[in-house]
Amino acid sequence: MPEQQNIEWKESWRDEYLKWICGFANASGGKLYIGCDDSGKVVGVSDSKKLMEDIPNKIRDAMGIVVDVNRLTEGDREYIEIDVPPYPIGISCKGVYHYRSGSTKQVLTGPALEAFLMRKHGATWDHSPLPVFRAEEVDDQIVEHFKKLAADKGRIDPALLNESKEVLMEKLRLTNGDYLTNAAMLLFCKDPDKYQLGAYIKIGYFESDSDLLYQDEVHGSILEQVDKAIELILFKYMRAKITYEGIYRRERYFVPEAALREALLNAICHKQYESRIPIQVSVYNDRLYVANVGRLPENWTLGNLMGKHASLPYNPDIAHIFYLAGFIESWGRGIEKICDSLKADSLPMPEYTVHPGDIMIKFTGPEDRIVRVNNKVNDRVNVHVNDRESTLLNYIVQDPGYTVTQLAAMMNVSRKTIAGYLKALKEKGAIERIGTTRTGYWKIK
């Protein structure tokens, strides 16, 4: 029999396997076979009759549930099948909650346990009431910004555009009883960190896995975080490959803006905010990761995630507002849109890694899209250049469209000095000018 994420094989019974049964009951169910080796081969048990009596009693006493326990045979060998159904309520084993995720078992505690029990009762964290967040703290500018976005997309009843923010919050399903919800706070508060730690995006540039060179944090309403993060990443953290078609300049990143936007939107809508851990974007010279504390929907595998699937956001209220604002579609097409964007730009497909506690997407840059800056540009030009000319060549490699004024500012010299360096390099045959002074660019020969 093939092993799956909801099947376990054990050669003999141990009471510690009650924890695995609890994990199956809290997830999507599963089967535990006693009397099978690690490859699923039946080796048999000698005390099957006694186990048939003891195991159901142990399960009932430890968890208060009933499962099917069956005695099976293969040839002259007997083995035990424990068939555990998924339970609609949270099940504890002697007061401890276990959960089966993939091929591992987790002990649920703290925020993870709270979120698990809420899901079992049909509730979500983003719809939970937050009594300390009051209507006067809903920011008017963010509300107006949202109204404009939603009106432009035609996804909101025009009558709501003139309503007060108190009425708007209720109509947008951002209230629970007499209180505003966690979603309302994250979406329409200028400073969500005041109420929820980790409600921000953290960006770092790494030279290697152990060498963090610099970092930034993007705070504020989650409605505004994505645009702020993309602006930072594209203009500070990633280098565009600059090419020219005639006199027309073209900037190409190894992660297209559309793909990066979808990855960040997915992270925000599926993030487990109760974890208090920020979304993390790690940028390298040739790759980029977006890591997020989240989980796949129950019964899902990585195959479900990458294939066509329904929209099942971890934070449905947040996703609904993002849909109304035109940030996302309601059909679960985020990953499909990421892949389409990469295909259109002839870039590698993303790689997803799903851990029990987080989900990470990796974008990889092909060699022809990576800007490698070093101090040996002079090796490419086959002429002797001095240190200042070599530094200038490095800047031209980064962006052949830099103007004399920009180069002078970066090298902290006068425009006249830069003009002299450029003239010397042209005379040495190291560079040539393509196009006009105003719209052209430098080409290293």
Side-chain angles (χ1 to χ4, degrees), residues 296 300-307 351-354 359:
L296 294 179
W300 275 35
T301 64
L302 188 56
N304 297 115
L305 182 68
M306 297 304 295
E351 300 174 39
Y352 273 88
T353 303
V354 179
I359 299 175

Side-chain angles (χ1 to χ4, degrees), residues 158-274:
L160 284 178
L161 299 177
N162 298 319
E163 294 285 4
S164 66
K165 61 186 179 184
E166 290 82 3
V167 173
L168 182 66
M169 293 298 106
E170 183 178 355
K171 296 296 185 181
L172 292 176
R173 306 197 299 253
L174 297 177
T175 58
N176 189 332
D178 295 330
Y179 303 108
L180 291 168
T181 63
N182 284 319
M185 175 270 295
L186 291 173
L187 290 158
F188 293 104
C189 178
K190 274 285 188 187
D191 185 20
D193 296 329
K194 178 180 176 181
Y195 302 99
Q196 183 61 47
L197 295 176
Y200 62 95
I201 300 173
K202 190 173 186 177
I203 309 168
Y205 186 86
F206 293 80
E207 191 169 68
S208 67
D209 290 344
S210 59
D211 293 323
L212 173 65
L213 298 188
Y214 50 89
Q215 63 179 0
D216 287 284
E217 295 178 356
V218 178
H219 294 263
S221 161
I222 59 173
L223 277 172
E224 300 175 336
Q225 285 184 15
V226 172
D227 285 335
K228 292 178 181 177
I230 287 177
E231 183 177 358
L232 259 177
I233 293 168
L234 294 184
F235 292 104
K236 179 177 180 179
Y237 283 81
M238 294 180 67
R239 293 189 179 99
K241 192 77 170 183
I242 310 298
T243 58
Y244 286 82
E245 297 173 2
I247 63 171
Y248 297 102
R249 169 192 173 103
R250 187 178 183 187
E251 295 184 359
R252 302 177 76 191
Y253 294 94
F254 68 80
V255 184
E257 181 178 343
L260 181 59
R261 178 178 295 275
E262 287 296 327
L264 291 174
L265 288 169
N266 276 353
I268 286 177
C269 291
H270 292 277
K271 173 180 164 65
Q272 291 181 314
Y273 287 91
E274 60 271 26

